[in-house]
Amino acid sequence: MSNNAIDKMKFNCTTCPSECLLTVEVERDADGAVAEVRSVTGNRCPRGDKFAHQELACPMRVLTTTVAVSGGNEALLPVRTAEAIPLALHAQAMALIRGLVVKAPIRMGDVVLENLLNTNINLIASMNIDPA
């Protein structure tokens, strides 16, 4: 039998508009890290179980921010990652993105930065910007 501590956590699943309140029972090792997800309840679909496991192993989020625009009718371009990236990479990604300047014209969906931090996920434009 394991001497690891059992802990219950509650958080909302964000994979759909229902935002189910999940209760997750985890086993923690001696260092307090999650060793095992024992159960997930409160989810009304299988996505909640998958989300809970992912959230505890490697939380993922879509990163949204803005980048500077050169020669455009707007000073800032809203951008986002095409898919979720590990939450642990967000600060490093923001440090890289902070220095970007894109040149107008730009169309929604244009790739602003390919393969962000070697994740194979692109940073894309979220709106159109025309030349000034």
Side-chain angles (χ1 to χ4, degrees):
M1 181 159 152
S2 170
N3 290 338
N4 292 345
I6 304 300
D7 189 18
K8 282 194 177 181
M9 307 170 68
K10 289 186 180 238
F11 51 88
N12 288 90
C13 176
T14 59
T15 59
C16 75
S18 295
E19 293 188 354
C20 297
L21 178 61
L22 305 177
T23 301
V24 183
E25 186 176 282
V26 297
E27 183 176 331
R28 295 191 181 274
D29 63 19
D31 297 326
V34 173
E36 179 185 357
V37 175
R38 297 184 125 208
S39 68
V40 178
T41 57
N43 53 310
R44 292 181 282 219
C45 72
R47 290 181 291 183
D49 185 71
K50 182 178 177 185
F51 175 80
H53 283 83
Q54 178 70 54
E55 188 69 8
L56 294 170
C58 178
M60 305 283 281
R61 300 288 187 281
V62 171
L63 175 65
T64 60
T65 188
T66 57
V67 297
V69 176
S70 169
N73 62 348
E74 300 285 341
L76 294 173
L77 170 70
V79 295
R80 66 176 178 84
T81 53
E83 298 175 37
I85 64 171
L87 195 55
L89 293 179
H90 279 215
Q92 188 179 354
M94 286 301 298
L96 176 65
I97 293 166
R98 198 170 290 118
L100 289 179
V101 178
V102 295
K103 187 173 180 184
I106 302 151
R107 294 290 154 247
M108 188 181 325
D110 284 355
V111 174
V112 173
L113 182 63
E114 287 185 7
N115 191 18
L116 179 64
L117 299 175
N118 297 316
T119 60
N120 291 320
I121 297 170
N122 296 331
L123 187 69
I124 60 173
S126 295
M127 74 179 246
N128 297 334
I129 294 188
D130 295 317

